[in-house]
Amino acid sequence: MAFEVDGVSADFDWPEIRSVHYKASPNGKALMVAVVHADGRLYEAVVDARPRDKLAGWFGQLAWVLGHYRPMG
């Protein structure tokens, strides 16, 4: 899993990830993602969903990917 903001990236191997949390932003226009690293550090990212209905598709895809790579959480 990787986050990239303004050319700065953070890459996480699946064994390094303790948990992944995600939700829609309060206005429903963005995906908010948090990765908890095995050492307890927290990394957060927000991704704008344009068009807005793209967000629903992302939720379905994220659930599948996380279920495949992180079946225990």
Side-chain angles (χ1 to χ4, degrees):
M1 179 175 244
F3 288 163
E4 184 175 337
V5 177
D6 297 327
V8 177
S9 64
D11 295 305
F12 308 97
D13 292 329
W14 290 107
E16 296 178 313
I17 298 173
R18 181 181 296 168
S19 61
V20 178
H21 309 276
Y22 61 95
K23 66 180 182 179
S25 64
N27 65 8
K29 295 181 180 180
L31 173 67
M32 301 168 66
V33 181
V35 171
V36 180
H37 194 272
D39 66 9
R41 290 180 287 169
L42 176 70
Y43 297 87
E44 297 176 303
V46 177
V47 182
D48 289 331
R50 290 185 212 138
R52 182 186 274 194
D53 58 342
K54 187 179 268 191
L55 188 59
W58 289 347
F59 274 100
Q61 293 171 359
L62 275 170
W64 184 89
V65 169
L66 292 174
H68 180 77
Y69 288 102
R70 299 280 308 150
M72 300 305 288

